């Protein structure tokens, strides 16, 4: 498999399947791990970084979940590749710079990804469609256990797993769900929700993690605390909180359906009409409109496309994806035109099929 | 013919035919006339008003252009009928109040309309599609001449035709064209045009004449001076000015096509997409969007509908028309939903036909 082959299929987490996938797009867990008695990646010189990379690569290649996985040396990627990987949630922003000894390993269907020499030696990630954090946790836990057969991780009996940044120390675990909350937004209830979520030790971010804004009614909810609690406790806590948010969103959707059906269908169909008509469209407008049609599909207003198509469009319409599809660098205004074309192709072609 | 029969056909002036009909929607001339030695309508008591009405009705019924015309006693109309007539440009706002002895006579295809007992005893109007003021003038002139065989008009050798309001005295003539100037608006050139037009003794108004705002890039250009010049001079002057505006608008459209084709097609198709998708839409948004698709049809972006369809939608989507079509009074929010339905029916049904 080559990097560009990723374009040919849909990441598992975009398939729109799994429990509550109308509201919970994806569930993700990541673990931060470091090699014992080796300097953290950011403190290591090139030689020590390379050493860590070699050791980890060998271990990863032996791991059953990662047979046949794509191994990407970051130094062999260009700017566009890196943005492409970030848009697919496979690497962090930090992983795009100083790439000399960085790598990312990507499993089939992109369910598992391991960044090597990010701020920690290993950043394991498992991401899947729908609301199933516990399942995702069990999967990453077994990968972690398998890896620990080949690698000795930095671990203190008192503190737990040691990490480059102290906020990750302990379990090294960050669990998150990507939520789509258009009804709570429309009802101006999100401030209340965010407030409650904060008090419960969770934090809310935008589409691309730390430092990004929520847009198009998408929110990433994750745990803040990694220390002093067991992994299953952390997962259980975040699952319970998210479950409450999901119930609130569902109730609000039903209440809108009962009381503002016409207003809602107007919004949905206008968004759909604009996406099928525009000849120039920015990325941020696209996200907003896709958010509306995602709601429309869930509520049964739009019947000729499915969630998977909507989820795919979120990813495909991003700047690096557009350029990868075209196989060349595009200026921002070229991208806005290309994006509009792509959306029309997808929505109108799909409509022709009438699945 | 009954009043409601008007709904069954399209007024001639909406057909989108005639010279320069891509820019000049319609050409209209009206003449103000009063009976000699009878008090002006506004000064007359009910008895004298009725007398004038009777005399004029008899004359009109003898006029060849008005054989088989619809004679509407305004007192037999309800609020909705009156708004309906106004939306079709057949009566003025003033003609909607104090209707006791008022009437309107409407020819086949609505080319000729005569208001009786508006501020003048007679207000003759001829309106046709496209840019042909001189033709329209000749037609109204011959109706006027025929009427003057049966009626004696108030006329002073010094001042010309006497009218209730001195601004109409002389020829009693107001000639106007309804222009669609989206490119000049988009290029921010309209202030310059309006300024020039004002200096040439012409005045610019919105869709429904005096006191209405220009909306959706529609402008009604008419003469201000009625006195001291011959009718043909007045017509000739306004034709020349409008011709210049038309040339400017054409040039601007061509320049946009060359330099901003993509931006323009984006605007046009978004408007078209919204009209085919919305479930709730106000009258003013409708006018703006129809303006964009009218431009799109003219520029060849939109191929599956024609100007006539666009022109018809302008009229059919107005409040009184919507209620006439449904045969009942609708609240503003019911109208917004009904309007959206009607537009979708028309645009999608028409598309099915693929003319």
């Amino acid at each position: 498999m080559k990097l560009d082959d990723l374009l040919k299929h849909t990441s598992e987490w975009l398939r729109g399947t799994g429990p509550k996938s109308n509201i919970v797009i994806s569930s993700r867990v990541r673990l931060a791990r470091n090699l014992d008695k080796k300097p953290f990646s950011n403190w290591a010189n090139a030689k020590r970084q390379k050493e860590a990379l070699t050791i980890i690569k060998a271990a990863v290649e032996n791991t059953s979940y990662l047979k046949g996985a794509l191994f990407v040396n970051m130094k062999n990627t260009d700017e566009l590749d890196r943005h492409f990987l970030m848009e697919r949630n496979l690497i962090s922003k930090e992983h795009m710079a100083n790439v000399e000894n960085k790598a990312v390993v990507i499993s089939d269907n992109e369910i598992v990804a391991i960044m090597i020499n990010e701020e920690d030696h290993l950043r394991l990630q498992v991401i899947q469609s729908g609301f199933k954090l516990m399942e995702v946790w069990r999967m990453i836990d077994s990968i972690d256990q398998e890896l620990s057969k080949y690698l000795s991780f930095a671990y203190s009996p008192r503190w737990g797993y040691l990490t480059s940044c102290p906020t990750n120390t302990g379990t090294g675990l960050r669990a998150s769900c990507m939520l789509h909350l258009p009804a709570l937004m429309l009802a101006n209830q999100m401030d209340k929700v965010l407030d409650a979520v904060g008090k419960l030790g969770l934090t809310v971010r935008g589409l691309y993690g730390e430092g990004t804004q929520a847009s198009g009614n998408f929110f990433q909810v994750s745990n803040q605390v990694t220390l002093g609690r067991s992994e299953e406790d952390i997962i259980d806590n975040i699952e319970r909180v998210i479950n409450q948010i999901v119930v609130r969103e569902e109730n609000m959707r039903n209440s809108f359906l009962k009381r503002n059906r016409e207003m809602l269908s107007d919004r949905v169909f206008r968004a759909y009409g604009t996406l099928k008509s525009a000849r120039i469209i920015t990325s941020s407008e696209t996200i907003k409109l896709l958010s509306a049609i995602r709601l429309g599909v869930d509520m049964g207003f739009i019947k000729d496309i499915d969630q998977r198509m909507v989820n795919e469009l979120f990813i495909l319409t991003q700047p690096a994806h557009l350029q990868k599809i075209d196989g060349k660098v595009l200026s921002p205004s070229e991208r806005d035109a290309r994006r509009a074309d792509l959306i029309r192709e997808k929505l109108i072609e799909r409509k022709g099929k009438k699945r």
Side-chain angles (χ1 to χ4, degrees), chain A:
Chain A
M1 195 162 77
K2 289 178 306 174
L3 184 59
D4 287 3
D5 291 339
L6 295 179
L7 257 186
K8 294 183 193 157
H9 70 260
T10 310
S11 323
E12 197 284 335
W13 65 273
L14 284 172
R15 293 198 181 154
T17 55
K20 299 287 178 201
S21 59
N22 57 333
I23 293 169
V24 184
I25 298 185
S26 58
S27 300
R28 170 182 180 266
V29 176
R30 71 108 170 105
L31 294 175
R33 295 288 182 263
N34 287 279
L35 300 180
D36 197 22
K37 298 182 183 120
K38 308 277 180 196
F40 290 139
S41 307
N42 288 341
W43 297 89
N45 60 24
K47 199 183 151 214
R48 306 299 298 269
Q49 285 180 346
K50 194 168 185 178
E51 211 176 285
L53 178 60
T54 309
I55 295 169
I56 295 166
K57 184 170 190 251
V60 163
E61 281 168 353
N62 278 318
T63 305
S64 53
Y65 275 102
L66 293 161
K67 292 274 179 254
L70 174 66
F71 188 93
V72 180
N73 264 310
M74 292 305 293
K75 71 172 173 191
N76 298 334
T77 60
D78 59 19
E79 246 337 86
L80 189 55
D81 292 330
R82 291 171 211 159
H83 281 279
F84 173 73
L85 289 168
M86 200 185 87
E87 288 174 1
R88 291 182 91 80
N89 262 315
L90 295 167
I91 65 167
S92 62
K93 196 162 184 176
E94 179 157 346
H95 215 51
M96 293 173 67
N98 311 316
V99 294
E100 187 57 28
N101 291 300
K102 286 179 175 163
V104 61
V105 188
I106 302 162
S107 80
D108 222 29
N109 294 335
E110 301 165 53
I111 291 176
V112 187
I114 302 179
M115 287 187 284
I116 304 174
N117 280 329
E118 208 242 25
E119 67 172 49
D120 297 301
H121 289 138
L122 290 103
R123 282 284 181 108
L124 286 69
Q125 163 181 291
V126 171
I127 184 167
Q128 292 204 37
S129 272
F131 188 28
K132 42 184 172 187
L133 271 182
M134 197 53 87
E135 196 178 320
V136 165
W137 155 248
R138 290 197 180 114
M139 185 173 174
I140 204 167
D141 185 38
S142 79
I143 297 170
D144 181 43
Q145 284 177 29
E146 206 181 338
L147 279 171
S148 66
K149 285 192 229 156
Y150 313 117
L151 300 171
S152 171
F153 291 141
Y155 183 85
S156 135
R158 178 157 183 200
W159 295 110
Y161 290 101
L162 301 177
T163 53
S164 170
C165 174
T167 57
N168 293 313
T169 298
T171 55
L173 178 147
R174 182 91 62 211
S176 65
C177 284
M178 181 67 72
L179 306 179
H180 184 220
L181 306 174
L184 287 171
M185 278 294 279
L186 204 56
N188 290 317
Q189 299 270 305
M190 272 312 291
D191 284 346
K192 247 158 82 183
V193 172
L194 295 181
D195 199 44
V197 166
K199 285 180 185 147
L200 295 163
L202 302 180
T203 180
V204 179
R205 294 176 175 132
L207 272 172
Y208 296 101
E210 209 155 351
T212 65
Q213 289 293 307
S215 61
N217 309 316
F218 294 96
F219 300 88
Q220 193 175 296
V221 176
S222 61
N223 61 308
Q224 259 178 320
V225 178
T226 58
L227 193 66
R229 304 180 71 170
S230 78
E231 287 86 347
E232 305 231 337
D233 263 11
I234 293 171
I235 301 287
D236 188 59
N237 177 47
I238 185 169
E239 274 206 336
R240 272 186 291 120
V241 175
I242 289 176
N243 203 50
Q244 282 179 38
I245 301 176
V246 167
V247 169
R248 277 181 183 230
E249 171 70 17
E250 281 173 338
N251 289 344
M252 201 51 82
R253 289 187 187 186
N254 289 331
S255 140
F256 275 121
L257 264 186
K258 265 187 218 142
R259 273 170 248 164
N260 300 81
R261 192 184 177 86
E262 216 163 34
M263 177 275 279
L264 213 59
S265 81
D266 182 57
R267 278 188 182 228
V268 164
F269 283 112
R270 278 172 180 254
Y272 199 27
T274 301
L275 284 171
K276 287 194 286 189
S277 307
R279 262 60 181 173
I280 302 172
I281 193 163
T282 63
S283 179
S284 85
E285 187 186 1
T286 301
I287 292 176
K288 274 183 211 139
L289 296 175
L290 285 175
S291 165
I293 75 171
R294 196 177 198 284
L295 181 67
V297 170
D298 178 46
M299 292 183 124
F301 292 125
I302 296 178
K303 296 188 169 71
D304 54 1
I305 57 169
D306 56 18
Q307 291 302 18
R308 177 176 175 161
M309 164 62 75
V310 182
N311 290 354
E312 266 182 44
L313 279 173
F314 275 109
I315 297 299
L316 294 179
T317 54
Q318 291 179 92
H321 273 75
L322 287 174
Q323 296 174 83
K324 273 289 188 188
I325 291 169
D326 269 20
K328 62 176 185 228
V329 173
L330 302 170
S331 70
S333 71
E334 286 171 334
R335 291 203 298 265
D336 289 349
R338 186 67 190 91
R339 180 177 296 114
D341 290 347
L342 178 78
I343 294 169
R344 288 204 318 286
E345 281 160 28
K346 290 276 174 187
L347 292 181
I348 294 167
E349 165 203 315
R350 186 55 51 119
K351 194 164 180 160
K353 285 186 193 160
K354 283 258 182 208
R355 297 193 296 174

